[in-house]
Amino acid sequence: MPDLTNATRPITLAIMAMGGQGGGVLSDWIVHLAESHGYLAQATSVPGVAQRTGATIYYLELFPEAEAERTGQAPVLALMPSPGDVDIVLAAEFMEAGRALERGLVTPDRTTVIASSHRVYGITEKSAMGDGILDPMPVREQLNQHALRFIEFDMEATARRQGSVISAVLFGALAGSQTLPFPRAAFEQAIRDGGIGVTASLRAFDDSYRQAQDTAPRTEPDASSHRPGETAPRPEAAELVALKDEVDSRFPEPAREVIHQGVLRLIDYQDAAYASEYLALLQQRLPLLQQQAGDHHLLRELARHLALWLSYEDTIRVADLKIRRDRVERVRSEVKAEPDQIVYTAEFMHPRVEEICDTLPAGLGRWVLRTGWVRRPLAKLTQRGRRISPQKLRGFLLLMSVASLRRWRRKTLRYREERERIDGWLSAVDRALAISPEVALEVIKAQGLVKGYGDTHRRGLASFDTLMQAFERQGDAPDAAARLRQLRDAALADEKGETLTQSVGEWQPEQPARSEDDPSRIAVKQL
């Protein structure tokens, strides 16, 4: 019996894809491509769980049929990838390439890695109490170091631009890498033979093929990538120009970009006057900030955190985001809807009585919360969530009516309470600046604990209040900055605050005041 030990080894490919990215279609295209050019092909898939959505590893081995006939024996092809034995890794999301690296599938003497630079954030990244988004640079550096060749660009953006799916972009990049012994025309014919979305897939293939010719690794993700919850700002041009000039004339150059982004966010959130208030609050502290830190790091951090707090999430903001045109277009793009197709989405909305009162005028909202015979029936009516479709007239009008309250946001109970908290925090920043830049930085960063709404907002405020009480008690101690940093890390360690409770030491923070009629509502005192 002929020995295949020294015969031509198979070409091995691993596709790392998540649900909905067309990994199965890409696998089928490669199999069809190989079989149509005299190769034996085997494809398997191993479902798994990524921390975003269901992830699957598709593994393919391609062996030349002529070699098998020459030896008189069919090759034995593996069912799963083996570390150190993969020729090509295709990753439909950047951290999926990192998972392939972690599994040992990327080796410097053999593996070409073709990866999209865009991110689909994991559950732990999205749900982190602070900024839980992982830094992709260490993964990028390791891929550049450990891969024989590394091809990377934003394939999700390419797919959107061409109205296609990322599987077609990966197929084009694979062809452009010229790692398989097949001509470009054969790749395109495989798409045509597949018979699904041929025109759009060929457009995406061509775009990706050309991008893959430049194999220089990207050092930063494309600007089109967004963090969770971010939306493209939509300010009026004249207002934006005026405020940009104001930023350029008032603030030092190293901090201007951060401040400018804060202005964009606040115009989008409320209006130009609101952004002007933001600039005024920063300018009030500019002399002391510059005196304490010549590198402007404190100013940049304060500008970032102040903009985030001023654009707090409320029911008005949520409703506004649900009905925006760019969101509708993004959903249609994701489901690949044709122009004449109607797409319905179901938004699960569950505003509690507290969120409803937050949206009322301040006096009325407080009255409802402290008046049991009014609050209790209202709470009963809102104890169950409801599904609303913005594409239907009733759902759209409901959300639009809530979003239209934006013009009266400054009169709402939530606005009044948030501004009191912000003013108290800024006063604490001022006092911390008089102590040291390090302490001031920790007081500024404590704002990162305050986010979201409902229970998330309540828990974040409780942790924030604990840190502010610690600052009031120990802010002038020699190790105050290190102590505050330790408490902030503890607050970010878990949602329930158990780690923070264990870390506060001998003293225990004062319990937040509670209304007798509303045991779930907290009122963080102004510092």
Side-chain angles (χ1 to χ4, degrees), residues 53-73:
T53 181
T56 301
I57 298 178
Y58 299 86
Y59 181 63
L60 299 91
E61 291 200 353
L62 317 178
F63 192 88
E65 189 173 3
E67 182 66 21
E69 292 176 351
R70 184 185 68 80
T71 60
Q73 181 177 345

Side-chain angles (χ1 to χ4, degrees), residues 323-361:
I323 60 174
R324 288 197 175 186
R325 181 181 295 276
D326 57 357
R327 185 175 189 274
V328 174
E329 292 174 349
R330 186 178 73 249
V331 171
R332 292 186 62 87
S333 174
E334 289 175 354
V335 301
K336 312 303 175 189
E338 298 294 333
D340 59 343
Q341 288 182 308
I342 299 175
V343 177
Y344 291 109
T345 59
E347 308 287 355
F348 183 75
M349 310 289 288
H350 190 191
R352 304 178 308 163
V353 65
E354 292 82 13
E355 280 83 52
I356 294 174
C357 291
D358 281 343
T359 312
L360 296 174

